[in-house]
Amino acid sequence: MKNIIYTLIIILCTSFGFAQQTPAAKQSKPIAITGATAHLGNGEVIENSLIVFKDGKLTTVSSNTQIDLSGMEVIKADGKHVYPGFIVPSSTLGLVEIDAVKASSDDDEIGEMNPHIRSIIAYNAESKVVESMRPNGVLMGQIAPQGGRISGTSSIVQFDAWNWEDATVKVNDGIYMNWPSSFSRGRWWLGEDPGLKINDKYSEQVDDLISYFNETKAYAAGDQSIVNLPYAATQGLFDGTKKLYINIDDEKGITDAIHFAKNNKVQHMVIVGGSESYKVADLLKQNNIPVILQRVHLLPSQDDDDYDMSYKLARLLVDKGVMVALNAGGQMERMNSRNLPFYAGTTVAHGLEKEEALKLITSNTAKILGIDQDYGTLEEGKSATLFISEGDALDMRTNKLTHAFIDGRSVSLETHQTELYHRYDEKYKAEK
């Protein structure tokens, strides 16, 4: 019995010691940021700017510094930079805490066709992984499920909240689908050739999707006296209230997915991944289909790809007029989401203008997710979700945040990682 009590005490102490900071209180007085270089997120830059926000909304974004600031909290940011909060799309942040602990993983549901599964219900607002995004300026994200053929429904959250209800910015914004791949790789651990081979079941898998969508439309045309949750969940795809996010990389798959969406009268679709999307850029532009690219810091996906294809892919699409956003897809996607601004920085090194690269993680993402009326740019009337950095936010050497605000609330930039940094930094200095 004693051992049980001691164990419970240790668990409680550990839980309290490692809990996320208390979410910030609502903005209580107007705040003015003066003297900073403001990167608006829409391609514009204002030197020596004045930014004022009240009740969580931006009221002034200008170069006019002659406004009366009495009664405001003034932050002097001369020589610093202000950016809109970065947004990471197509993420599993808050759905998995520790990969090796199965009980902390809730990003995948049993079954193949799960359009009714709502990822937001499983979102953990107190995740320590989510908390670690803020010091790099990543303040919002789209939380998306994985697994199966139709994974479920995504929602958009801000990263400083008590629970998933408080975190929600836009609920059930879209449905995620994993399109079949025309090729597959052999499983080397089973002694198979690890090279690419044709997926013999590709047509059959596509037919399954076509049949399923035919069933959902037949359900919609009926009396619906008996509610079918999966079928009912898809109806937003046809009336335009939801977007269809399709995970697909290869050229044939992207082309087939576009035709599938058009044939089924899906109002809005987005390609996620798209490593070969540059091959069908004209088709994407013609159909006004945006692309959420996977993590920029990836090796080439094909043997005959250019060595820097992942780095320059965003530029190739932007040059063709395709709307592009970046995520952190791939291995360790959740942890790598904190590097989102540096992925955008890599695209600058490979041909994009810096303010154009900034759009990939701000205004473009907000437009794709349908939240651009309130987020993604620094404009009067929009949410005061922004941060101040000592230098260029797209450069890991200079992106050092001094302040961050979500809907006008001043959020903490401390995490368990920064606490460990301070602890060992002090130890090193003391020893030195």
Side-chain angles (χ1 to χ4, degrees):
M1 186 66 183
K2 274 185 178 180
N3 289 338
I4 294 174
I5 293 173
Y6 291 149
T7 301
L8 288 172
I9 291 173
I10 290 171
I11 291 172
L12 286 171
C13 290
T14 303
S15 299
F16 285 120
F18 289 93
Q20 189 185 41
Q21 291 91 8
T22 301
K26 188 176 180 180
Q27 183 181 0
S28 59
K29 62 185 298 186
I31 297 175
I33 302 171
T34 64
T37 298
H39 304 262
L40 306 191
N42 58 6
E44 297 180 31
V45 178
I46 300 177
E47 303 286 349
N48 191 28
S49 65
L50 172 65
I51 297 175
V52 180
F53 50 99
K54 178 182 179 182
D55 298 327
K57 295 290 185 181
L58 292 164
T59 58
T60 301
V61 179
S62 74
S63 56
N64 179 14
T65 57
Q66 305 304 313
I67 297 175
D68 181 13
L69 303 180
S70 57
M72 300 183 188
E73 176 186 341
V74 178
I75 300 173
K76 294 183 178 180
D78 299 70
K80 298 179 181 179
H81 299 257
V82 179
Y83 295 86
F86 299 150
I87 309 166
V88 57
S90 187
S91 172
T92 57
L93 281 165
L95 300 183
V96 181
E97 193 67 6
I98 303 172
D99 291 288
V101 179
K102 189 175 181 180
S104 74
S105 176
D106 202 3
D107 63 340
D108 186 354
E109 192 59 68
I110 296 172
E112 285 294 300
M113 306 293 189
N114 296 313
H116 60 301
I117 297 299
R118 302 173 64 215
S119 62
I120 190 65
I121 300 298
Y123 178 72
N124 175 19
E126 293 191 338
S127 166
K128 301 193 75 58
V129 183
V130 170
E131 178 186 79
S132 69
M133 301 297 117
R134 300 195 303 251
N136 277 356
V138 182
L139 305 181
M140 301 178 67
Q142 181 199 40
I143 309 307
Q146 295 186 335
R149 186 60 66 202
I150 300 179
S151 306
T153 303
S154 57
S155 291
I156 301 154
V157 300
Q158 49 87 5
F159 292 155
D160 182 64
W162 288 99
N163 48 49
W164 69 262
E165 292 96 333
D166 290 340
T168 301
V169 170
K170 185 177 183 181
V171 69
N172 301 338
D173 72 294
I175 290 177
Y176 267 76
M177 172 189 290
N178 294 308
W179 191 262
S181 177
S182 353
F183 297 91
S184 61
R185 289 191 179 274
R187 296 168 292 182
W188 58 266
W189 60 91
L190 295 180
E192 299 175 355
D193 182 355
L196 283 175
K197 59 182 181 180
I198 294 175
N199 177 12
D200 296 330
K201 296 185 178 180
Y202 178 76
S203 296
E204 178 185 333
Q205 292 165 345
V206 172
D207 287 342
D208 288 342
L209 281 171
I210 293 172
S211 297
Y212 189 82
F213 268 62
N214 286 337
E215 292 167 11
T216 65
K217 288 183 283 187
Y219 169 80
D223 62 9
Q224 302 178 32
S225 56
I226 299 176
V227 176
N228 183 297
L229 291 179
Y231 291 165
T234 65
Q235 302 311 305
L237 298 176
F238 311 120
D239 63 22
T241 57
K242 288 182 182 177
K243 292 185 178 182
L244 180 60
Y245 295 88
I246 301 182
N247 287 295
I248 182 63
D249 283 310
D250 64 273
E251 178 184 5
K252 175 175 172 53
I254 294 172
T255 303
D256 290 348
I258 292 172
H259 292 316
F260 167 84
K262 290 176 67 176
N263 292 338
N264 283 282
K265 294 182 169 53
V266 173
Q267 296 294 309
H268 307 289
M269 72 168 288
V270 180
I271 296 297
V272 181
S275 60
E276 293 188 4
S277 55
Y278 67 97
K279 296 180 179 179
V280 289
D282 291 332
L283 182 63
L284 292 168
K285 172 62 177 175
Q286 177 186 337
N287 290 279
N288 196 29
I289 296 172
V291 179
I292 298 175
L293 293 178
Q294 280 197 358
R295 177 159 48 101
V296 172
H297 294 173
L298 286 175
L299 293 172
S301 60
Q302 303 297 336
D303 293 341
D304 57 352
D305 279 349
D306 293 345
Y307 77 93
D308 58 351
M309 179 54 71
S310 296
Y311 307 147
K312 67 182 182 181
L313 180 54
R315 176 182 58 80
L316 295 177
L317 293 173
V318 169
D319 287 348
K320 286 286 190 175
V322 178
M323 180 173 290
V324 179
L326 301 181
N327 75 359
Q331 279 189 319
M332 295 183 67
E333 166 259 314
R334 286 172 297 283
M335 292 68 176
N336 282 319
S337 293
R338 66 173 67 94
N339 292 324
L340 189 68
F342 312 137
Y343 299 152
T346 298
T347 69
V348 175
H350 289 78
L352 272 185
E353 294 293 330
K354 186 166 292 185
E355 298 307 315
E356 192 67 38
L358 181 63
K359 292 181 184 179
L360 307 184
I361 54 176
T362 55
S363 58
N364 282 9
T365 311
K367 289 175 184 176
I368 292 171
L369 302 183
I371 57 172
D372 53 305
Q373 286 189 343
D374 295 306
Y375 300 94
T377 57
L378 300 178
E379 297 180 71
E380 294 174 6
K382 289 193 174 185
S383 167
T385 297
L386 52 92
F387 64 89
I388 304 173
S389 174
E390 291 183 1
D392 181 357
L394 305 190
D395 188 335
M396 65 177 66
R397 298 167 299 181
T398 57
N399 187 26
K400 299 178 182 178
L401 272 65
T402 60
H403 300 77
F405 301 89
I406 296 178
D407 296 326
R409 299 177 295 109
S410 179
V411 301
S412 171
L413 295 174
E414 290 298 320
T415 72
H416 63 294
Q417 294 176 338
T418 59
E419 288 173 4
L420 289 171
Y421 164 76
H422 293 312
R423 180 199 299 179
Y424 288 101
D425 184 51
E426 290 171 6
K427 177 179 183 294
Y428 171 77
K429 288 178 180 177
E431 290 177 350
K432 189 175 180 181

